[in-house]
Amino acid sequence: MRLLALLPLLAVVAAHADHAHIERRSQPGVPKPEPVDLRPLEWGDLNIISTTDTHGWLAGHVKEEAYSADFGDFASFLSHMREQAHYRRKDLLVVDSGDLHDGNGLADATPLSGQVSNPIFQMINYDALAIGNHELYLPEIAEDTYRNFAPKWGKKYLTSNTFIKDSRTGKIVPIGKLYNKFRMKFGTRVMSYGFLYNFMGAANNTIIEPANVTVTLPWFQESLKEDVDVYLVVGHVPVRWNEATTVVKAIRAVHPSKPILVFGGHLHIRDFKAYDARAYGLSAGRFMETLGWMSANCVGKNLTVSRRYLDTNVHTYKTHALAHPRQKFDTWRGQKISKEVTRQRKALGLTTVLGCAPQDYYLNRYPYTDSRSLLDLVTKEILPFSVIDMTRPYPTVVLINSGCQRFDVFKGAFTVDDTFIVSPFHDDFVYATVPYKAAKNILNALNKAPFQKREDVPQTFSENATLTPGYVTKDDYGYGGDDWPHSPIPYVATPNYVSSPLPTGLGDNDLVDVAWLSFFTNLMLPILKTLNPANTYTAQPYRVGITTNEMWPIYVKAKWANSTC
């Protein structure tokens, strides 16, 4: 009990301790941030740590000091936080909102995505998890999630509106559990659900039931009759989207005053929403850059909550988790996970250097035609060099969706892992030969076509020499949710589709090969027909074996291999 009384004071001491004592952890060779003073976290009766959209980033960001902690460090952090919760006699939940693949070599450099990363992810003791759309694009990934991943979690893996056709029985069944009622250590009774947004691109062996249908079904309505203290909705859905508000309203229609806590994802942003005075939602960013923190206190009829977005580095973890600044941070489990991440990265060849990037290339900091833009590099250099078939009799223009490129390239060593970080998808190319008068208008027509793109929140940029660039988040509580102070990173929107340069010196009737990614053929063929009604086009394979992932090492090995890092 004496330690319990000292914990708030010790947290402050840890936050303002001598910064010289900082353990060098994470993956070998990663940079570390300059320590800053951080505010102690506010603890409540119920406290939740959340992750979402990890996309295989279990090694942390090996080139970015602000987010350099790996999954082993996260495990050590959770161990200490659970000890704090025990001594404070407060309940602590750990939740994840899905999307485990497509974004990092640890998840994607195996024949089946998640083959290596999923077992590492399972070494963290989560209390509730939801499925993401990236677990559902391919039939074999959905099947693996159903057969091998979901069963490991028992009742904790929640798929309230996501189903699969069992390949053995032919029956349509939930991939995980529809809901889970449980009691926490210090008595909090929780009813939990897991929802996915109305995802239209799932594999043909899966079914996503609209949330507005799910909440009317007998099983859901019966679950609302259970006597619980709080409703927990963990979902791969943005907290402001209709699917989230639909579930909140359905619960609220039966329970006008019960606390409802929603943990969402998908848009890769930090966000916090107040649905009403007793219902709140939080999204914890992306790529293991952010841990979400929410605490809730129930005093009579009042519910007070706090939220914080934590940068994922060891200084953050030690400041908030240790009862004393000299306390040992590493735990046995954390060290085991870190060593396994290191071992698997080496076994997969992810640290192999392919070349040396001559500068930084950013995905959204500059206009896409700027020489510092990643898309400028891709459209003007990589597509022409790696994709265009120079043996064809006609010149070529190549179109891609800008969303197939996922992250920045940093000056210096470009590794095998970077090919998956920047361009994780193995999208193949197809083509049709069309008159130049049609080819020159395709990009404009394509950008006017319907397209669902993640809606990152634009940020304004202001120079501040004392702060490092990073997240500056405004949510329903205003500013102040970001744990680390940063100067804002500029954000520039990009078109949905971009292309290599159009061939020059051609007449309207000269022929051009138009190549594009096969997955948006359903958009391209009608556009081609509209632009050139005299012909009916079909898509033919183009440069078989070259994909949006493979085009990067082809270019880097040829153009950057002789550079000195």
Side-chain angles (χ1 to χ4, degrees):
M1 291 304 292
R2 183 182 178 188
L3 179 57
L4 173 61
L6 288 174
L7 272 171
L9 174 60
L10 292 174
V12 174
V13 171
H16 298 279
D18 183 345
H19 297 315
H21 183 73
I22 299 295
E23 292 183 43
R24 180 72 178 244
R25 285 287 300 111
S26 312
Q27 289 298 293
V30 302
K32 61 180 180 179
E34 289 296 323
V36 298
D37 290 337
L38 302 175
R39 298 164 290 159
L41 295 175
E42 297 178 45
W43 284 75
D45 299 316
L46 177 61
N47 308 276
I48 304 96
I49 294 170
S50 67
T51 58
T52 188
D53 294 271
T54 55
H55 286 284
W57 286 76
L58 308 188
H61 290 239
V62 298
K63 299 179 181 180
E64 296 179 277
E65 58 269 17
Y67 319 115
S68 55
D70 68 17
F71 224 52
D73 300 317
F74 178 45
S76 295
F77 171 73
L78 291 182
S79 177
H80 293 298
M81 291 297 282
R82 285 184 166 122
E83 286 181 5
Q84 277 212 49
H86 174 77
Y87 285 111
R88 292 174 182 269
R89 300 189 64 80
K90 304 294 185 183
D91 282 322
L92 176 65
L93 279 169
V94 183
V95 305
D96 181 78
S97 296
D99 266 10
L100 308 182
H101 313 137
D102 302 327
N104 193 283
L106 197 64
D108 305 327
T110 49
L112 188 71
S113 291
Q115 189 173 329
V116 163
S117 59
N118 280 357
I120 296 173
F121 191 90
Q122 289 165 349
M123 297 172 77
I124 296 291
N125 185 21
Y126 281 96
D127 298 293
L129 307 93
I131 197 168
N133 56 296
H134 282 262
E135 282 79 83
L136 299 170
Y137 277 112
L138 300 176
E140 60 270 27
I141 297 295
E143 178 76 10
D144 181 65
T145 302
Y146 170 58
R147 294 283 175 203
N148 301 314
F149 189 73
K152 298 287 187 181
W153 299 101
K155 295 179 179 180
K156 298 177 180 180
Y157 196 71
L158 302 163
T159 61
S160 302
N161 68 330
T162 310
F163 304 85
I164 191 168
K165 183 177 181 180
D166 190 301
S167 59
R168 298 171 187 171
T169 67
K171 294 181 179 180
I172 304 297
V173 296
I175 292 177
K177 301 299 180 182
L178 296 176
Y179 65 96
N180 182 31
K181 178 186 176 183
F182 59 97
R183 181 187 293 266
M184 302 189 67
K185 179 185 289 187
F186 295 107
T188 305
R189 298 167 301 171
V190 181
M191 178 63 75
S192 57
Y193 307 98
F195 278 85
L196 177 66
Y197 73 97
N198 192 23
F199 175 45
M200 304 302 292
N204 59 11
N205 62 337
T206 64
I207 296 172
I208 290 86
E209 187 175 73
N212 62 342
V213 173
T214 303
V215 297
T216 67
L217 297 180
W219 74 261
F220 186 86
Q221 292 298 317
E222 284 295 315
S223 73
L224 296 179
K225 297 178 182 179
E226 297 281 350
D227 188 15
V228 297
D229 300 307
V230 62
Y231 285 90
L232 173 69
V233 181
V234 181
H236 196 74
V237 56
V239 294
R240 298 180 187 276
W241 279 17
N242 287 337
E243 293 90 337
T245 55
T246 293
V247 178
V248 171
K249 288 178 180 178
I251 298 171
R252 187 59 78 230
V254 179
H255 298 286
S257 61
K258 281 287 176 69
I260 304 169
L261 304 179
V262 180
F263 293 87
H266 183 60
L267 289 187
H268 295 186
I269 62 173
R270 296 177 172 185
D271 199 12
F272 177 81
K273 177 174 175 57
Y275 300 100
D276 61 39
R278 298 180 68 81
Y280 300 89
L282 183 144
S283 291
R286 62 171 192 174
F287 302 164
M288 283 304 293
E289 293 172 346
T290 303
L291 296 187
W293 169 266
M294 186 190 291
S295 64
N297 269 311
C298 299
V299 181
K301 295 182 178 181
N302 297 321
L303 177 70
T304 60
V305 301
S306 75
R307 92 294 191 224
R308 193 82 64 83
Y309 311 108
L310 310 184
D311 285 7
T312 51
N313 59 71
V314 172
H315 178 64
T316 297
Y317 290 170
K318 291 187 64 177
T319 298
H320 293 309
L322 299 186
H324 189 279
R326 297 286 174 177
Q327 182 182 355
K328 178 179 171 59
F329 175 72
D330 290 334
T331 63
W332 174 85
R333 179 181 291 273
Q335 290 179 318
K336 180 180 179 181
I337 294 173
S338 292
K339 289 177 181 177
E340 179 65 6
V341 169
T342 302
R343 186 181 74 83
Q344 292 292 357
R345 279 170 51 80
K346 183 177 180 180
L348 293 169
L350 299 180
T351 58
T352 301
V353 177
L354 302 178
C356 187
Q359 65 175 72
D360 295 333
Y361 295 95
Y362 294 103
L363 194 56
N364 288 109
R365 291 195 190 189
Y366 302 100
Y368 79 101
T369 55
D370 189 286
S371 61
R372 295 164 292 183
S373 166
L374 182 88
L375 291 177
D376 185 72
L377 173 71
V378 170
T379 55
K380 294 179 181 177
E381 299 284 342
I382 295 177
L383 293 179
F385 184 84
S386 300
V387 178
I388 290 180
D389 185 353
M390 300 304 294
T391 67
R392 290 279 303 160
Y394 308 116
T396 302
V397 60
V398 184
L399 301 105
I400 61 172
N401 67 307
S402 58
C404 74
Q405 304 301 288
R406 302 275 284 184
F407 204 69
D408 305 328
V409 168
F410 298 113
K411 182 179 179 179
F414 187 95
T415 65
V416 171
D417 198 18
D418 288 314
T419 68
F420 294 98
I421 289 171
V422 177
S423 192
F425 306 114
H426 295 269
D427 294 324
D428 60 325
F429 292 88
V430 295
Y431 82 104
T433 304
V434 306
Y436 180 72
K437 64 183 178 182
K440 66 183 180 181
N441 292 312
I442 291 172
L443 182 60
N444 184 54
L446 195 58
N447 274 313
K448 292 180 179 178
F451 188 85
Q452 185 175 353
K453 188 178 188 293
R454 71 178 179 89
E455 299 172 2
D456 290 297
V457 177
Q459 297 176 340
T460 57
F461 182 68
S462 61
E463 292 288 347
N464 188 328
T466 65
L467 299 178
T468 58
Y471 285 98
V472 179
T473 308
K474 183 179 181 181
D475 55 30
D476 280 11
Y477 273 11
Y479 294 101
D482 298 302
D483 195 42
W484 278 66
H486 289 294
S487 61
I489 294 174
Y491 178 93
V492 178
T494 60
N496 293 334
Y497 299 90
V498 294
S499 77
S500 62
L502 274 168
T504 58
L506 299 180
D508 279 353
N509 294 321
D510 291 332
L511 295 179
V512 175
D513 286 340
V514 176
W516 66 88
L517 301 180
S518 62
F519 80 88
F520 58 85
T521 294
N522 63 319
L523 292 178
M524 282 293 294
L525 295 183
I527 288 173
L528 291 175
K529 183 66 175 176
T530 300
L531 294 175
N532 192 30
N535 288 338
T536 299
Y537 294 98
T538 58
Q540 303 296 323
Y542 188 81
R543 294 298 303 275
V544 175
I546 304 297
T547 71
T548 48
N549 176 265
E550 280 78 20
M551 69 184 188
W552 272 93
I554 292 172
Y555 177 83
V556 171
K557 289 177 183 178
K559 299 294 186 177
W560 293 350
N562 295 325
S563 305
T564 301
C565 293

